[in-house]
Amino acid sequence: MVTAEEGGDRAALVATWHPAKSDMLDVNQIIKDLASMVHEQGDAIATSDKEKMGKRDSIEANIETASSNVDSANEQLAKASQHQWICPKTMSFTAIKMFESLLLKSTAN
């Protein structure tokens, strides 16, 4: 049988147990929320790292494309330079021939 003194102690124990239990449940929820946030941050970091790798691959691909384009541009500039060198000679030759034919026509009349 429970005496009055033991009953009072028990009531006091129960009275202190309920707030402690509530505090433990609050701490448990905080730990769960923290674990969830850490997991989300881990996913965000992994995604960010993948994006960085993708950007790095993209940058390397763009550098290779730019290098190829520069090589192609150099070839086209070399051809254009040769064409500009040939073109004035051809134009000069054509102009001289036209002048000669005009002279011949005018002296023939």
Side-chain angles (χ1 to χ4, degrees), residues 3-73:
T3 64
E5 187 178 307
E6 289 175 349
D9 288 341
R10 178 174 252 165
L13 183 62
V14 169
T16 57
W17 171 250
H18 284 296
K21 181 180 177 184
S22 177
D23 290 344
M24 286 191 299
L25 290 173
D26 290 343
V27 169
N28 186 33
Q29 187 59 44
I30 290 170
I31 290 173
K32 285 181 181 179
D33 293 344
L34 182 60
S36 175
M37 287 189 284
V38 168
H39 181 72
E40 288 172 5
Q41 287 178 349
D43 289 345
I45 290 171
T47 300
S48 176
D49 286 344
K50 286 179 185 176
E51 289 174 358
K52 287 178 185 175
M53 289 299 293
K55 287 179 183 177
R56 187 176 302 137
D57 292 342
S58 177
I59 291 171
E60 289 173 0
N62 287 340
I63 290 172
E64 289 175 11
T65 301
S67 176
S68 173
N69 288 343
V70 167
D71 292 341
S72 176

Side-chain angles (χ1 to χ4, degrees), residues 1 11-12 17 19-20 32 44 59 68-69 75 77 80 83 91 105:
M1 198 160 163
W17 171 250
K32 285 181 181 179
I59 291 171
S68 173
N69 288 343
E75 291 173 10
L77 285 172
H83 180 72
M91 290 177 72
K105 285 183 181 180

